[in-house]
Amino acid sequence: MTIREHLEEREEKYLSKYAALSSRSKGRKREEAQCDIRPVFQRDRDRILHCKAFRRLKQKTQVFLLPKGDHYRTRLTHTLEVSQNARTIAKALRLNEDLVEAIALGHDLGHTPFGHAGERALNEVNPFRFKHNEQSVRAVEYLEKGGEGLNLTWEVLDGIRNHQTSGKPSTLEGAIVRLSDKIAYINHDIDDAIRGGILTEEGIPKEYSDILGTTTRMRLNTMVHDVITNSMDKPSIQMSEEVGAAMAGLRKFLFESVYLNPQAKGEEEKAINMISNLYKFYMSHIELLPDQFLAMTEKGVKKEQAVCDYIAGMTDTYAVKKFQEYFVPESWNF
């Protein structure tokens, strides 16, 4: 018996009856020989961790564009915080920790430079809908490894595609990531907003802090414990009505006070213009796309899609570099 088979057997004996078992995965689009050491979801986790799109997350905006300080979250640190929350919950509920981690690490791979501002820009300028969750799936299915893709399992792809509020994951592991994403960004965005002088802890409405806590640590503790307590040995992932309502209220407060705050988002219009102009430029100069993306158009992919794929994969710094290259006179570049 291989190490992988021993691990699969351990899952069957230990994990909850509601867990997604590695040995019962719906599989991959392309059949592969099994690894002798790692079950399929662990293998997917490793593939995501080592892919180029994951490494680029370190230079992609979370909320604050070009923050003045080293301690603000990036898309990468957000991803790691989602993974940590999700793994804690999954372990307590005896669900599949490898599957949860794979989904969490891959959920934002399709995010554009400059966060949701970049996403809005691409959604507005191209003729089809652009959504970062669908782009994350596209990244791992078609763009990574020079167009070969990572060939991930059905369960991981489903969790990535359905990690947003409107999504309906098919596994409890996917549902954990969906909720852990909110828990992570609500708490770390408050922390960053306080660091940036946009919020104060005392400015958070008392109706929410009385229930959730008055520090990031307390709020995380309350939310994670509440999910575990209310989901234990149940076929669903849920929060209590009181904590769920407080979290939803706090999220709404953040939209009003941070996400739409001119101090936090004042530079977004510049980012939107930059992405929009890059899109229009490449549509008129398609020959300047890298070979991988040009090859896609030669195989029948619409050039609008290829341009979106290229721009969505850019880091903030690379997008600025390409904008300067095409739109700023060389003598003015510093």
Side-chain angles (χ1 to χ4, degrees):
M1 185 179 282
T2 66
I3 294 173
R4 171 184 55 79
E5 289 169 329
H6 277 294
L7 293 174
E8 290 172 346
E9 187 177 84
R10 184 188 299 173
E11 284 184 2
E12 299 233 9
K13 291 179 179 178
Y14 174 74
L15 293 185
S16 163
K17 63 181 179 180
Y18 301 116
L21 300 179
S22 303
S23 60
R24 299 181 196 175
S25 168
K26 292 184 179 181
R28 310 179 188 278
K29 286 188 176 180
R30 300 190 304 273
E31 287 190 20
E32 297 179 11
Q34 289 269 30
C35 177
D36 62 336
I37 297 174
R38 298 165 297 168
V40 289
F41 301 141
Q42 183 183 347
R43 200 176 185 188
D44 283 0
R45 187 275 314 273
D46 294 350
R47 289 180 181 185
I48 291 168
L49 190 65
H50 289 284
C51 78
K52 291 179 180 177
F54 184 79
R55 296 197 292 275
R56 291 196 299 269
L57 294 177
K58 67 182 178 180
Q59 290 185 340
K60 291 197 177 192
T61 291
Q62 174 58 25
V63 170
F64 291 86
L65 294 174
L66 299 175
K68 296 178 181 178
D70 293 332
H71 299 133
Y72 290 85
R73 271 69 172 194
T74 65
R75 191 61 58 180
L76 177 61
T77 58
H78 160 73
T79 294
L80 296 176
E81 290 184 40
V82 173
S83 177
Q84 184 269 324
N85 291 338
R87 287 174 53 221
T88 297
I89 295 169
K91 182 175 285 188
L93 298 177
R94 291 186 298 116
L95 295 175
N96 197 309
E97 209 174 328
D98 288 335
L99 176 56
V100 155
E101 189 172 16
I103 296 170
L105 294 180
H107 83 282
D108 269 356
L109 291 180
H111 239 301
T112 60
F114 311 117
H116 289 286
E119 182 175 13
R120 288 199 301 274
L122 282 183
N123 192 47
E124 289 170 4
V125 295
N126 80 79
F128 51 87
R129 185 186 71 164
F130 182 91
K131 296 291 183 183
H132 79 269
N133 59 317
E134 295 291 345
Q135 189 66 20
S136 294
V137 173
R138 186 167 174 77
V140 296
E141 282 206 287
Y142 304 113
L143 302 179
E144 278 296 314
K145 295 183 70 175
E148 181 182 335
L150 302 182
N151 198 29
L152 304 180
T153 55
W154 182 90
E155 291 82 0
V156 173
L157 294 174
D158 173 78
I160 292 173
R161 178 177 286 111
N162 290 289
H163 77 267
Q164 292 184 291
T165 301
S166 58
K168 295 182 179 178
S170 299
T171 64
L172 294 192
E173 288 80 2
I176 287 175
V177 175
R178 178 176 170 271
L179 192 50
S180 295
D181 186 28
K182 292 188 189 68
I183 292 172
Y185 72 66
I186 286 172
N187 284 289
H188 65 51
D189 291 351
I190 289 174
D191 189 40
D192 282 353
I194 291 172
R195 179 174 290 106
I198 294 169
L199 277 184
T200 63
E201 191 65 61
E202 294 72 28
I204 296 173
K206 199 168 184 297
E207 60 187 296
Y208 308 134
S209 59
D210 281 351
I211 295 170
L212 301 174
T214 56
T215 66
T216 298
R217 179 181 178 182
M218 290 172 66
R219 283 187 291 270
L220 279 170
N221 190 58
T222 297
M223 292 179 189
V224 169
H225 273 78
D226 190 77
V227 174
I228 293 169
T229 300
N230 288 277
S231 306
M232 186 66 71
D233 298 322
K234 294 179 181 177
S236 61
I237 302 301
Q238 57 197 29
M239 303 181 92
S240 67
E241 186 174 338
E242 180 184 45
V243 172
M247 188 176 86
L250 187 55
R251 182 173 178 265
K252 183 180 179 182
F253 168 76
L254 278 176
F255 269 92
E256 297 166 351
S257 304
V258 177
Y259 303 143
L260 301 178
N261 185 303
Q263 188 176 344
K265 313 304 275 184
E267 297 288 290
E268 278 197 352
E269 198 60 39
K270 297 176 184 177
I272 289 171
N273 288 334
M274 193 181 303
I275 295 298
S276 300
N277 280 300
L278 281 173
Y279 176 85
K280 294 171 186 175
F281 179 84
Y282 283 117
M283 286 298 293
S284 299
H285 301 83
I286 197 75
E287 72 280 358
L288 293 178
L289 288 180
D291 290 344
Q292 176 187 342
F293 298 92
L294 277 177
M296 288 165 53
T297 64
E298 293 166 2
K299 293 177 181 177
V301 174
K302 291 183 178 180
K303 66 178 183 178
E304 293 89 348
Q305 180 67 67
V307 170
C308 274
D309 288 339
Y310 180 46
I311 294 175
M314 292 179 175
T315 61
D316 295 11
T317 50
Y318 188 74
V320 170
K321 176 185 175 183
K322 300 310 286 186
F323 182 84
Q324 289 176 331
E325 181 180 332
Y326 298 136
F327 293 101
V328 179
E330 186 174 345
S331 60
W332 292 0
N333 275 325
F334 298 102

